[in-house]
C-alpha cells in the first residue's frame, strides 16, 4: 500500500511540475508568500486554480469514474475558521507565525489572506500583551519558555470565539489579569482555555485543558445540526464548504429510513448526526475518547435518538460485526489525508455494505484506496470534488461506490471453498465453478470469454461448446492483468496447470 501511495504521489505531481516551476514577475499579493509556502496558488486567479485541480483529479481518478465539475467558493479568502500560530522570538521580540513549508523555520505572519481576520487580530493582541506580563515564548531547541502555540476557533454560525493558549507548564503568571486584559481588547471572546503540553514534541496540543474563562467550549452549526467544539475536537476549518461537502455526500448516499449506516472515523459525530435525520440508524465509530464524549453530547443536544457511538478502532469493530453476522447498508468513511490502510479496507469489504461513501482530502491516497475497493467487489459510481482549501494544492472529494451485483440471469453457483473436496476437480473445472471461485476469493466478476482467453494462453482446451474467434486481431474485450491473475489462481487450485 505504501509503495502504491508513493507511485500515485509521483504521478500526481509529475504531470504539472512545469506549472509549479513557473515564475511570475509581478509582486505577490501576499507579503509572506516566498517564505511561508503554505498557499501555493496565492497568485493564480481562482478560476484557474479550480481548472487545475479539476485537471489533476481527472488525470488521477478518471480511470475509476467521471470526475464531476469541482464546486468552488464565491469568496475564496479568509475561509479558515480555526487559526493556529506558532510562538517564538525574532530579534528579541515575541512573534507569532507558521513554520516554513517543509522546514522547522518560523516565519512571522501578522495577517493571513486565508485565515479568519478576527482570529488573526486576537493572536496579535496576545503577542502584544506578552512583554507586559513577562510571559516568554517557547524555544524548542533549549526546551525553555512558556507559551508554545495560540489557537483560535471562530464559529461561523454563532460568532462564538474560543482562544486556546498552549503552555509548557500549567502555571500562567497573573492568569486572571491576563484574561481581563485580553477580554478588554476583545470582549467578543466566548471562552479562554489553557492547554498543557509539557513534552518535547511536534504535537500542538497536550492532553490537559484548564478553563480560564467561560465554558471551555463553543457551538457551531452544519446542515441544521448544532455541534459543541472543545479544544481537542476535530472540525473542518472551512465551514461554508464543509456544509456543501456533507450535503453532496448524503445526496450520493441516498439514505432511507430502512438504512443502517456506519460512520467510520466519526470524530465528534458531524456527518453521522446529519445522516441520522435521513437514515434508520447510525453507528459512529471513533478511537479518540474525548471525541466520542463530544459526539454523545452533540447527539443529546440535538435530540438524535437513532445514533450510537462506539469508542474503538473502526476496522477491528467492523470485523467483529461481520463475524457476528451483523450488516450495514452504508459505510461513510472520512479518513485522514494519508487515507485508509489495507486492514481497514479489508474490514469494510468483509462487512459488505451495499454502498460506500468515501470522503477524501488526499487524491493520491484516494486513488490507492479505490484501487483496492474496486478489486474487491465494488465499483466507483460518482466522484464529486469540493474545494475546501482555496489558494492551496489541497482538495476534498466525495466518492460513491456500490457493490457489484451478480447478473441474476446467469446461473449462480453457491459453494464454500472450505467445505469442498477439490480432489474430484483435479485437472478439470467448469466455467461456472471458476467464476464462482474468483468471485468468492477476489470479489471480481470474470466472463466465460476471459476464462477462455486465459485457457488458450495456457494451451488448455476451451471446450467444444465455446467458440473463440480464430483471428487474434478480432475486436473483442481483453482480460485485464488483475483478472488474469485471479483466473490463473483458479486454474492452479483446480489442478488445471
Amino acid at each position: 500500500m505504501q509503495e502504491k501511495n508513493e507511485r500515485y504521489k509521483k504521478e500526481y505531481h509529475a504531470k504539472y511540475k512545469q506549472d509549479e516551476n513557473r515564475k511570475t514577475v509581478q509582486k505577490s499579493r501576499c507579503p509572506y508568500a516566498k517564505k511561508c509556502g503554505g498557499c501555493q496558488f496565492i497568485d493564480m486567479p481562482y478560476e484557474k486554480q479550480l481548472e487545475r485541480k479539476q485537471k489533476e483529479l481527472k488525470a488521477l481518478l478518471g480511470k475509476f469514474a467521471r470526475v464531476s465539475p469541482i464546486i468552488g467558493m464565491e469568496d475564496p479568502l479568509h475561509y479558515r475558521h480555526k487559526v493556529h500560530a506558532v510562538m517564538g522570538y525574532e530579534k528579541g521580540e515575541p512573534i507569532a507565525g507558521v513554520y516554513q513549508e517543509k522546514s522547522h523555520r518560523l516565519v512571522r505572519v501578522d495577517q493571513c489572506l486565508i485565515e479568519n481576520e478576527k482570529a488573526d487580530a486576537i493572536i496579535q493582541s496576545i503577542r502584544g500583551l506578552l512583554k507586559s506580563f513577562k510571559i516568554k515564548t517557547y524555544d524548542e531547541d533549549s526546551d525553555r519558555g512558556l507559551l508554545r502555540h495560540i489557537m483560535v476557533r471562530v464559529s461561523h454560525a454563532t460568532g462564538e470565539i474560543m482562544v486556546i493558549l498552549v503552555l509548557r507548564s500549567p502555571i500562567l503568571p497573573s492568569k486572571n489579569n491576563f484574561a481581563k486584559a485580553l477580554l478588554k481588547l476583545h470582549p467578543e471572546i466566548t471562552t479562554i482555555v489553557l492547554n498543557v503540553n509539557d513534552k518535547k514534541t511536534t504535537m500542538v496540543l497536550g492532553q490537559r485543558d484548564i478553563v480560564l474563562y467561560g465554558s471551555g467550549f463553543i457551538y457551531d452549526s452544519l446542515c441544521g445540526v448544532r455541534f459543541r467544539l472543545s479544544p481537542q475536537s476535530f472540525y473542518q476549518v472551512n465551514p461554508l464548504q464543509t456544509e456543501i461537502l456533507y450535503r453532496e455526500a448524503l445526496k450520493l448516499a441516498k439514505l432511507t429510513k430502512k438504512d443502517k449506516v456506519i460512520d467510520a472515523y466519526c470524530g465528534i459525530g458531524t456527518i453521522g448526526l446529519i445522516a441520522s435525520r435521513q437514515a434508520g440508524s447510525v453507528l459512529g465509530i471513533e478511537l479518540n475518547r474525548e471525541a466520542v464524549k463530544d459526539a454523545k453530547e452533540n447527539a443529546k443536544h440535538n435530540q438524535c435518538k437513532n445514533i450510537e457511538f462506539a469508542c474503538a478502532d473502526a476496522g477491528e469493530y467492523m470485523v467483529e460485526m461481520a463475524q457476528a453476522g451483523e450488516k450495514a447498508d452504508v459505510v461513510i468513511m472520512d479518513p485522514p489525508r494519508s487515507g485508509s490502510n489495507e486492514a481497514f479496507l479489508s474490514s469494510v469489504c468483509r462487512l459488505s455494505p451495499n454502498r460506500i461513501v468515501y470522503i477524501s482530502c488526499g487524491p493520491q491516497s484516494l486513488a490507492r484506496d479505490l484501487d483496492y475497493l474496486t478489486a474487491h467487489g465494488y465499483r466507483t459510481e460518482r466522484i464529486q470534488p469540493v474545494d475546501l482549501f482555496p489558494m492551496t494544492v489541497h482538495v476534498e472529494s466525495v466518492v460513491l461506490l456500490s457493490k457489484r451485483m451478480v447478473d441474476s440471469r446467469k446461473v449462480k453457483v453457491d459453494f464454500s471453498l472450505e467445505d469442498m473436496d477439490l480432489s474430484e476437480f483435479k485437472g478439470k473445472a467448469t466455467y461456472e465453478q471458476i467464476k464462482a471461485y474468483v468471485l468468492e476469493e477476489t470479489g471480481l466478476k470474470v466472463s466465460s470469454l476471459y476464462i477462455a482467453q486465459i485457457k488458450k494462453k495456457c494451451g488448455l482446451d476451451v471446450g467444444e461448446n465455446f467458440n473463440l474467434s480464430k483471428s487474434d486481431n478480432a475486436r473483442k474485450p481483453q482480460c485485464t492483468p488483475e483478472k488474469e491473475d485471479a483466473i490463473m489462481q483458479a486454474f492452479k487450485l483446480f489442478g488445471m496447470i
Side-chain angles (χ1 to χ4, degrees), residues 106-126:
L106 186 58
V107 177
R108 175 175 176 166
V109 176
D110 294 338
Q111 290 179 311
C112 176
L113 288 169
I114 65 171
E115 292 177 350
N116 181 276
E117 293 172 285
K118 178 60 71 177
D120 278 351
I122 290 171
I123 289 169
Q124 291 310 308
S125 294
I126 293 171

Side-chain angles (χ1 to χ4, degrees), residues 153 218-222 225-236 246 263-274 284-300 302 307 309 334:
R153 287 184 187 266
I218 59 173
Y219 285 101
D220 199 10
S221 294
L222 282 175
V225 180
R226 191 171 164 92
F227 296 100
R228 189 178 91 159
L229 307 179
S230 65
Q232 308 280 348
S233 300
F234 171 78
Y235 195 70
Q236 291 280 12
Y246 288 174
D263 177 14
Y265 309 97
C266 75
I268 63 169
T270 44
I271 195 162
L273 285 163
I274 297 166
I285 312 172
E286 170 61 48
L287 197 55
N288 185 299
R289 288 188 180 279
E290 288 302 313
V292 172
K293 184 179 175 183
D294 278 345
K296 289 178 178 178
E297 281 294 324
N298 288 329
K300 185 178 177 182
N302 288 279
I307 187 167
F309 296 97
D334 186 0

Side-chain angles (χ1 to χ4, degrees), residues 12-13 15-22 40-41 44 46-58 70 393:
Y12 184 67
H13 293 296
K15 289 180 181 292
Y16 301 98
K17 200 164 186 177
Q18 208 170 13
D19 285 344
E20 286 282 346
N21 296 331
R22 188 188 298 156
Q40 301 87 352
F41 296 162
M44 187 185 293
Y46 188 51
E47 295 77 14
K48 293 289 183 186
Q49 294 180 36
L50 295 178
E51 286 175 17
R52 173 164 169 167
K53 289 181 180 183
Q54 183 79 27
K55 198 183 292 185
E56 291 176 345
L57 287 170
K58 186 177 178 183
I70 189 170
V393 296

Side-chain angles (χ1 to χ4, degrees), residues 45 74 103 112 163 225 244 320 393 400 408 410 426 486:
E74 287 185 23
S103 83
C112 176
V163 176
V225 180
I244 292 170
E320 289 175 8
V393 296
L400 171 66
S408 61
K410 303 290 177 70
K426 286 296 179 185

